[in-house]
Amino acid sequence: MKLRDFFIMGMLAMVVAACTEHQTLSMNWEVETANGWIPAQVPGTLMGTLTANGIEPEALTADDYAKINKTQFDKSWKYRTTFELKQLNEGEHAVLSFDGISYRANVWLNGKQIANSKEMYGPFRQFEFDVTNEIAGDNKLEVEVFRAQPGEPNIGFADWNPRPADESMGIFREVHVKTCGPVALSHSAVRSRVNTQTLNEAWLTIATELHNLSDKPVEGIVQGTADGQQFSYRVSLAPGEKKRFVSPTEIHIINPKLWWCHNMGKPELCDLHIEFVEDRKISDSENVRFGIREIKSYLTNEGYRGFTLNGKPVLLRGAGWTDDIYLRDTPETNRLQLEYVRDMNMNTVRLEGFWGTSQNLYDLCDELGLMILVGWSCHWEWDSYIGAPCDELYGGILSPENIDLIARSFEDQVMWLRYHPSIIGWFVGSDMLPKPELEQRYQQFLSTEDDRSYLTSAKDQVSELSGRSGTKMAGPYEYVGPSYWYQPEAPGGAFGFNTETGIGAQLPVKESLQKMLGPNLFPIDQRWNILCTASSGDMNSLKQLNEVIRNRFSEAKNIDEYLRHADLLNYESTKAMFESFRVRWPHTTGIIQWMLNGARPGIYWQLYDYYKQPNAAYYGVKKGNAPVQLIYDYYTQAVYAVNETLQPVKSTARMQLLTDSKTTSDSTQIEVAPGTVVKVFDINTAHAPAAFLLLKLGNTATNEYFITGEKDTYDWANTTWVHTPITKYASYAMLDNLCTTDVEMTITPTSDGYQVKVSNPTDKVAFMVRLTAKQQGQLICPAYWSDNYLTLAPGETRTVTCKLPSITDKTDVKIEVSK
């Protein structure tokens, strides 16, 4: 085809293309109850709709769960909506598609059944129906849903929180209708190769799915532009044929705009416009945002799973995402949470599950430069969660019927998501492995349809088909001290790729706890337990945290003292977890905090709470993950400079070591090449029972530690999957006598918030000073502090910023020190 003819065809086709129509059916939904029809949230679950209508309790306490009548979900529930569609022209078709239903459904359009629950089942299947003969100008769509039964692989939260009362029943992902010509397009994507030596050229491959909806053979052209480069390929389709098309040639790009994770570069995005043209008419078209990048997975010489991005080794640093318990997340709440991830200087989100009620979660990661590991949940791998016997190696997907369902579900999810540059790999197992027959199906599919690696398990497992997973899931999930992560004996410590680990209870701020438990928070009692995990054996109370506080400090006298001590434990150990993996790079390849967020109000495994308020660990993670940072190694007792950017760093490193009787200072000029770690200072604390180590790199990157001469003693022989017992705790009893929280502030309004100059006028260290921004007495959310839980040397002044993007009227905004 000549270029002139290409443009003529495009201009002719554009006139006809205006007759095509694409709708997402998110409005006018209702669900039938015993008292009539009520407004329904689609996408969403039945419990999401019932809470929105005030029929079921919104607050998620133990009493609220007990009040929910779960038997109401034993029967089917019916949804309905209406929509308008233009009249079809001759040769045009209408296609109705469902991105996700849990668990089974019957579907009627204008009174005619187009799907039944014997065929339409599985939450991760996607269904498409040619409804040309059923469609009208004014349409009525009815969907009858049935919940999952024991043994059926449904959406799952495992032990993170109590099971949703409705088992996530409903239309939980989007419903679409479109009109098109005889051939429909779907799942368009671009694969890319990059010259990883020079980064100055790339090669693009176009992929899409074509469906000939007519009863006649069709000859046509797949054409369009990718990053401004034109392409055109002739295609033939038999009557009714569905074909996964991959371009036979690559598009060569000079000086491509590359997609990077945000700590390495800019996450550049490009545009794909693709259309199918038949007889000079556009039959269907799609517009997709894609990224040019090359992601590779490899095993190190030590057998650890690692990743490269555009040829550069990348240390994965992230946390485990969960959706809201009733799948009520919105584009706004998704953005806020993912901006938190970026603000904490993490570069990865792990989804144990294919989360999200739409593509929005993944679109945002593309935009923000966050890498995603996505895949199946351990919900299917344990008897008590899936509700059927499980194999100790392969979990619960065992029968030929379930293997076929999950293999087809995996195909649907990958095809749906494959255009996202942020997705770097697919987890096909979590705690266990896929059965070989199932893994073989994964291999066959991915070999032709996607170029990303799959990970057989998040645990250290060996597959007979693909070998070693290269990952580890050795805990801990309960408290360990900051030194743990550096110890050579620590199974969860700084080596390899730790796919999920954390310190257990990570308490919200006092203001959030009062929302969960009421104004009277002390003493710590049984009310707190429901806010822990739903595990039957461990992590279901604050027993472990209380033991640590008692042994580190003493029994807390009030709630403020209890929370102050809990915040320090949370801050320092979570920070050390990330820092240890950075200092030991490339012996380490990845670290995932378990977890990022909470599906419901809780006090375990989170960096910010259900109300989106950051806890102490949030700021420890942010500081410990600064792209260029000075980090103290608790094992070698030395300070290292880490540079994870693509640029060399030349700067001045400074340190102060403060004890109750002596201050030691040092400074040196350092140069750190990209992706390297350099030793800077040796630290000697043998002369004092405790010390504060204050570090500064250049003018902005600060880091602080409280170090005791006495060390924690671990009982390595009695390590469990939950944690390693501490038989002797390093005492922090002297801490309160060594430090203060008395500071002075100078507050200056800015265009987007406030600049706060914090001064320590005392002769003690100002330690763990929490700053808050409130309006009308309530914490503002979000409030982006450049630093918080501050530590300042005697006489030191530091300036921090607080950005308040949601505040346009600053009346009654107060910046305070939380006491």
Side-chain angles (χ1 to χ4, degrees):
M1 178 183 292
K2 294 180 180 178
L3 186 59
R4 181 177 62 86
D5 292 334
F6 181 95
F7 282 114
I8 292 173
M9 179 175 293
M11 292 176 66
L12 290 172
M14 284 175 64
V15 177
V16 179
C19 297
T20 64
E21 187 174 352
H22 294 241
Q23 289 188 47
T24 299
L25 304 182
S26 58
M27 306 296 288
N28 306 320
W29 284 94
E30 296 178 307
V31 70
E32 188 176 20
T33 71
N35 297 316
W37 294 86
I38 61 172
Q41 294 186 344
V42 173
T45 66
L46 281 170
M47 277 298 295
T49 285
L50 296 177
T51 57
N53 284 276
I55 297 172
E56 292 292 352
E58 167 63 29
L60 301 174
T61 66
D63 289 340
D64 292 327
Y65 279 114
K67 292 174 186 175
I68 297 172
N69 174 21
K70 295 182 180 181
T71 63
Q72 64 185 307
F73 304 112
D74 292 341
K75 66 175 183 66
S76 65
W77 287 63
K78 185 171 282 188
Y79 288 80
R80 72 182 183 189
T81 191
T82 58
F83 63 94
E84 296 180 357
L85 202 69
K86 71 171 186 66
Q87 183 177 352
L88 297 179
N89 296 317
E90 183 178 353
E92 289 185 334
H93 293 258
V95 177
L96 178 67
S97 58
F98 294 83
D99 287 344
I101 285 185
S102 179
Y103 182 81
R104 294 178 181 269
N106 293 318
V107 181
W108 296 265
L109 180 60
N110 297 325
K112 182 175 181 181
Q113 187 166 4
I114 61 172
N116 67 72
S117 60
K118 292 183 179 179
E119 297 175 346
M120 190 174 179
Y121 66 93
F124 298 107
R125 289 298 322 278
Q126 297 195 327
F127 298 93
E128 182 180 274
F129 305 100
D130 184 348
V131 293
T132 304
N133 296 327
E134 292 78 28
I135 207 74
D138 295 317
N139 297 278
K140 181 181 180 181
L141 177 63
E142 299 169 283
V143 182
E144 182 184 20
V145 297
F146 304 79
R147 75 167 176 83
Q149 299 300 310
E152 293 181 327
N154 192 27
I155 303 166
F157 294 83
D159 60 358
W160 319 334
N161 49 265
R163 294 176 80 116
D166 61 351
E167 299 291 339
S168 302
M169 180 182 181
I171 307 173
F172 78 95
R173 281 188 176 152
E174 293 175 329
V175 182
H176 308 272
V177 64
K178 73 174 180 179
T179 61
C180 60
V183 175
L185 279 175
S186 61
H187 304 130
S188 301
V190 177
R191 303 178 198 168
S192 52
R193 293 190 301 118
V194 174
N195 184 331
T196 56
Q197 298 300 311
T198 65
L199 303 181
N200 63 7
E201 58 182 342
W203 297 265
L204 310 182
T205 299
I206 310 300
T208 192
E209 192 165 63
L210 304 168
H211 188 187
N212 182 2
L213 301 168
S214 76
D215 58 0
K216 299 177 181 178
V218 173
E219 294 256 347
I221 296 169
V222 173
Q223 67 178 31
T225 59
D227 192 29
Q229 302 295 307
Q230 298 166 352
F231 60 85
S232 177
Y233 306 101
R234 189 166 293 278
V235 180
S236 299
L237 295 166
E241 181 182 5
K242 193 175 231 184
K243 175 184 289 186
R244 288 174 178 165
F245 170 82
V246 178
S247 61
T249 59
E250 294 180 312
I251 299 171
H252 188 211
I253 304 290
I254 301 296
N255 296 322
K257 299 177 293 183
L258 296 179
W259 188 93
W260 295 94
C261 60
H262 70 93
N263 65 302
M264 297 178 72
K266 188 176 180 181
E268 297 278 9
L269 292 174
C270 307
D271 293 304
L272 168 70
H273 174 75
I274 187 169
E275 48 195 39
F276 185 85
V277 176
E278 188 250 346
D279 194 23
R280 288 180 171 266
K281 295 179 182 178
I282 295 178
S283 179
D284 198 8
S285 65
E286 285 193 324
N287 294 302
V288 171
R289 295 279 277 166
F290 71 95
I292 301 174
R293 60 96 178 95
E294 184 171 308
I295 191 77
K296 294 292 184 183
S297 169
Y298 64 95
L299 288 178
T300 68
N301 293 335
E302 298 170 290
Y304 306 142
R305 177 72 55 188
F307 288 84
T308 60
L309 177 58
N310 298 326
K312 310 297 183 184
V314 55
L315 176 65
L316 305 187
R317 295 174 286 102
W321 173 282
T322 179
D323 279 2
D324 172 82
I325 188 172
Y326 299 142
L327 309 188
R328 296 171 296 185
D329 288 305
T330 65
E332 292 75 24
T333 62
N334 284 341
R335 176 174 288 278
L336 171 59
Q337 294 182 82
L338 293 171
E339 286 180 343
Y340 275 172
V341 174
R342 181 164 168 158
D343 186 55
M344 284 185 278
N345 294 309
M346 295 190 292
N347 59 17
T348 306
V349 178
R350 182 188 167 202
L351 311 185
E352 189 174 336
F354 283 88
W355 289 116
T357 57
S358 70
Q359 298 260 356
N360 174 257
L361 176 67
Y362 307 88
D363 290 337
L364 287 169
C365 286
D366 294 344
E367 173 193 330
L368 295 172
L370 298 172
M371 297 178 289
I372 314 176
L373 287 164
V374 62
W376 300 131
S377 167
C378 68
H379 181 76
W380 303 342
E381 298 174 334
W382 300 99
D383 303 24
S384 58
Y385 299 134
I386 194 172
C390 290
D391 183 89
E392 63 181 11
L393 185 58
Y394 302 126
I397 309 301
L398 302 171
S399 69
E401 294 78 15
N402 271 351
I403 286 175
D404 183 64
L405 170 64
I406 297 308
R408 295 169 70 189
S409 298
F410 183 74
E411 290 189 25
D412 286 353
Q413 295 304 294
V414 172
M415 294 294 289
W416 185 55
L417 297 172
R418 64 178 179 171
Y419 72 82
H420 293 284
S422 54
I423 297 176
I424 63 171
W426 313 102
F427 269 112
V428 297
S430 180
D431 298 13
M432 299 177 189
L433 293 168
K435 202 172 179 181
E437 299 96 305
L438 179 56
E439 186 179 355
Q440 190 172 42
R441 292 276 297 271
Y442 295 148
Q443 288 180 330
Q444 290 171 346
F445 163 70
L446 289 173
S447 66
T448 59
E449 301 304 331
D450 195 69
D451 58 355
R452 278 160 281 220
S453 299
Y454 74 93
L455 293 83
T456 53
S457 178
K459 197 173 182 179
D460 186 8
Q461 302 272 22
V462 179
S463 161
E464 64 182 59
L465 293 180
S466 55
R468 187 174 179 181
S469 66
T471 56
K472 70 175 182 178
M473 191 195 295
Y477 295 89
E478 279 281 23
Y479 178 83
V480 292
S483 65
Y484 167 93
W485 306 102
Y486 293 89
Q487 302 297 321
E489 303 94 337
F495 65 92
F497 180 14
N498 197 341
T499 61
E500 55 178 69
T501 189
I503 65 163
Q506 294 178 297
L507 300 190
V509 294
K510 183 178 180 180
E511 293 86 345
S512 292
L513 286 167
Q514 288 173 329
K515 289 184 180 181
M516 300 177 195
L517 295 167
N520 299 318
L521 298 176
F522 201 78
I524 309 302
D525 56 26
Q526 295 296 317
R527 296 175 302 150
W528 294 66
N529 293 349
I530 187 58
L531 301 176
C532 299
T533 80
S535 172
S536 59
D538 297 282
M539 304 164 292
N540 50 23
S541 76
L542 286 180
K543 177 181 67 174
Q544 181 64 32
L545 177 61
N546 292 339
E547 176 187 319
V548 179
I549 290 177
R550 187 167 52 250
N551 283 279
R552 281 255 192 266
F553 304 94
S554 64
E555 292 286 356
K557 302 178 187 66
N558 53 55
I559 189 61
D560 293 321
E561 184 176 85
Y562 182 87
L563 293 179
R564 187 166 63 251
H565 293 161
D567 284 348
L568 170 56
L569 299 175
N570 187 13
Y571 181 98
E572 66 170 3
S573 191
T574 309
K575 180 163 77 82
M577 177 178 72
F578 282 97
E579 290 179 337
S580 66
F581 274 71
R582 301 185 70 202
V583 164
R584 300 293 170 84
W585 190 33
H587 186 56
T588 57
T589 56
I591 175 68
I592 302 295
Q593 144 90 15
W594 198 250
M595 301 174 66
L596 171 69
N597 54 352
R600 51 98 197 204
I603 58 179
Y604 253 74
W605 298 338
Q606 58 191 349
L607 299 177
Y608 52 89
D609 63 42
Y610 186 74
Y611 308 110
K612 311 300 185 288
Q613 290 292 350
N615 61 30
Y618 180 105
Y619 296 100
V621 171
K622 178 174 181 172
K623 179 158 288 190
N625 276 318
V628 181
Q629 184 60 289
L630 295 177
I631 294 172
Y632 174 69
D633 183 322
Y634 286 82
Y635 184 73
T636 64
Q637 299 181 68
V639 172
Y640 296 84
V642 179
N643 177 13
E644 286 190 63
T645 73
L646 296 180
Q647 304 299 322
V649 171
K650 294 181 179 180
S651 191
T652 302
R654 299 178 178 87
M655 79 87 170
Q656 276 187 295
L657 189 66
L658 294 82
T659 69
D660 58 352
S661 60
K662 182 180 179 182
T663 297
T664 304
S665 300
D666 197 2
S667 66
T668 185
Q669 295 295 309
I670 62 169
E671 183 171 349
V672 192
T676 60
V677 180
V678 174
K679 184 178 177 180
V680 182
F681 302 115
D682 286 307
I683 304 298
N684 182 5
T685 59
H687 60 284
F692 292 99
L693 176 63
L694 311 182
L695 305 174
K696 190 170 185 179
L697 183 61
N699 294 320
T700 55
T702 63
N703 209 352
E704 301 86 24
Y705 300 85
F706 176 67
I707 305 170
T708 58
E710 184 181 29
K711 307 303 179 186
D712 290 332
T713 301
Y714 288 92
D715 184 2
W716 301 112
N718 287 307
T719 295
T720 68
W721 69 276
V722 177
H723 78 139
T724 299
I726 300 176
T727 57
K728 183 180 180 182
Y729 287 86
S731 175
Y732 289 6
M734 77 294 287
L735 181 59
D736 288 340
N737 293 326
L738 295 175
C739 64
T740 183
T741 56
D742 293 331
V743 295
E744 297 174 350
M745 293 191 298
T746 302
I747 302 165
T748 305
T750 62
S751 60
D752 57 359
Y754 293 89
Q755 183 184 83
V756 184
K757 186 179 292 185
V758 186
S759 301
N760 176 11
T762 75
D763 59 357
K764 294 184 177 182
V765 171
F767 188 60
M768 293 286 287
V769 177
R770 178 190 167 214
L771 305 178
T772 62
K774 294 183 178 182
Q775 190 169 47
Q776 297 180 353
Q778 300 297 313
L779 283 177
I780 297 172
C781 182
Y784 293 98
W785 290 94
S786 60
D787 194 7
N788 210 334
Y789 294 82
L790 306 177
T791 295
L792 283 74
E796 181 183 357
T797 295
R798 189 179 306 169
T799 299
V800 297
T801 59
C802 179
K803 295 182 179 179
L804 304 173
S806 64
I807 301 300
T808 55
D809 180 3
K810 295 180 180 178
T811 303
D812 199 34
V813 171
K814 288 184 170 53
I815 305 297
E816 301 174 328
V817 174
S818 177
K819 297 296 184 181

